[in-house]
Amino acid sequence: MFSVEAGEVEAPYSIYSNKEKWTIVGMVALAGFYSPLPANIYFPAIPTLAKAFHQSTEAMNQTVTIYLIFQGLSPMAWGPISDRHGRRLVYLVCLAILILSSIGMAVCPTDQFWLLLFLRCFQSGGSASTIALGAGVIGDISTSSERGGYFGMFNLGPMLAPCLGPSLGGVLSQELGWRSIFWCLVIMVAVCLLSIALFLPETLRSIAGNGSIPVPKRLRAIVRIVGRKVSHEAFDPATQTQAKHSVNPFVILTYPDVIVLLTFTGIVYAVNYTITATISSSFAKIYPDLSETVLGLCYLPTGAGMMIGSTMTGKMLDWEYNRIKRSKGEEFTIEYARLRIMPFYLGLFIVCVMGWGWSLQARAHIAVPLGLGTILGWTSIGILNTTMTLNIDILQSRSSGATACTNLVRCSLAASMISVIDRMTNAMGDGWTYTFWGGICALLLPLMFLEIRMGPKWRVKREAAETARD
């Protein structure tokens, strides 16, 4: 907020009501759903695709790996562009690329495997940036005291896709053939593109301020369903922040507090993604009577856990922030407020990762890994919501760039882990493989205490340097 003279009414941080903010967050959560969905929707159909394209399953897994690589790289370009030139146009361009590439994959000849890989690059390049864009929108419209709840809602989109996508893909592949998967993507993304074009306002604060400043016609929502009732007091050009001179997001990777957060988030995400990505292949070996449709349905418990975890974590983050700010006073730090509950989430996540491995090795009843998957979904999204909310808090004016860096790290680590997980389980067994990765996650806990202790000092020093430079 900016300072005001006596008698003046202070303009709100955002003109949008709570209901309107939830509407905006719902739209960007829907778009975020399509970032990981194309990578996951055909997991149950990989054996069918391998046969159709006359490739081995290992070769077909390259389509997953290459998707993850570009999922990490493309937001490094789109995210900073949106931080400078606005959210709406980048959303429309990215979703259009996703639609066109999905059409290409739907009609791809089965003797052109190289073309399938090539189109996967564009498919990932178009879809991946919706997470970074959504994080930018949330940073634009919300304050730190309410951001946890909004980010919890938003993260439901990108985190549910790996769980709901295979269920949908399994049904489509078995009933209508593998090409129907991509046609379904085309239809779904077209609906999302239309809703963004019609209803999403431009939120970038360097352009729209708190939402009250008129924006160029090309950046306006076609149908204005939010921000229609704006009081005269809400209008204030002082809420229009200065755009950053540099759009290079790689500089963010040199900040020590951000490096700590990215390392922690990246490893936990990669371990969880590896478990999610291998559910169908692992269950197919252990429970050979399961059909493609049933294999897809096995992802639903993890999705249910994510829905519960996202709702609980968002509310808890906001409650903790406000409670600690009242109790700590001048000693309050955003790092402590966000990370205080992290040891609980991480400890439970580690236990479930190890339990997952040993339940597979023991060929336990299918209810055991499904139950563990529910808790894994809850804890993983709790960890991700917490660290990504803090990332936006400490880099609010570059929230899309900050989230793009998170995507780069976590997707790169996930791609690397997926490329070796089969060899590890073949050599060590599922039990010791996931015990190893659970142990790696346990080594991350000191990083959170380091962030709580040193993060505020690093942040204040960086902000002082940036202020002096401006």
Side-chain angles (χ1 to χ4, degrees), residues 210-378:
N210 64 357
S212 64
I213 299 172
V215 300
K217 189 173 182 179
R218 69 181 187 279
L219 298 179
R220 296 176 195 165
I222 298 174
V223 180
R224 192 173 184 183
I225 63 171
V226 296
R228 289 178 297 177
K229 299 178 180 179
V230 183
S231 65
H232 176 73
E233 290 80 8
F235 176 79
D236 191 355
T239 61
Q240 197 171 25
T241 59
Q242 184 178 4
K244 293 293 179 181
H245 297 295
S246 173
V247 294
N248 177 16
F250 288 97
V251 68
I252 295 174
L253 298 174
T254 65
Y255 302 156
D257 50 344
V258 176
I259 291 172
V260 170
L261 286 175
L262 294 187
T263 302
F264 184 94
T265 305
I267 293 176
V268 170
Y269 174 86
V271 171
N272 183 68
Y273 189 89
T274 301
I275 291 174
T276 304
T278 56
I279 286 177
S280 58
S281 57
S282 298
F283 280 19
K285 289 187 293 185
I286 299 171
Y287 314 108
D289 294 333
L290 300 181
S291 65
E292 282 183 309
T293 300
V294 175
L295 283 174
L297 294 175
C298 290
Y299 287 79
L300 292 180
T302 303
M306 287 180 176
M307 293 181 69
I308 297 170
S310 183
T311 303
M312 291 178 59
T313 303
K315 293 181 178 179
M316 188 178 298
L317 284 173
D318 289 344
W319 182 79
E320 280 280 280
Y321 178 94
N322 291 298
R323 183 186 68 83
I324 293 174
K325 190 169 186 177
R326 287 193 302 268
S327 63
K328 289 288 185 178
E330 293 183 359
E331 297 179 359
F332 170 84
T333 64
I334 189 70
E335 289 82 1
Y336 177 76
R338 295 303 191 204
L339 300 177
R340 198 182 73 85
I341 59 175
M342 185 60 75
F344 166 75
Y345 278 130
L346 183 63
L348 192 54
F349 177 79
I350 291 167
V351 170
C352 290
V353 168
M354 294 180 178
W356 174 269
W358 288 110
S359 68
L360 293 183
Q361 184 151 325
R363 297 180 176 269
H365 189 278
I366 194 171
V368 177
L370 290 180
L372 289 170
T374 303
I375 304 175
L376 280 169
W378 169 39

Side-chain angles (χ1 to χ4, degrees), residues 452-465:
I452 291 173
R453 181 176 178 82
M454 296 300 299
K457 298 177 182 178
W458 289 329
R459 172 169 50 83
V460 169
K461 183 179 179 180
R462 178 177 66 252
E463 290 172 351

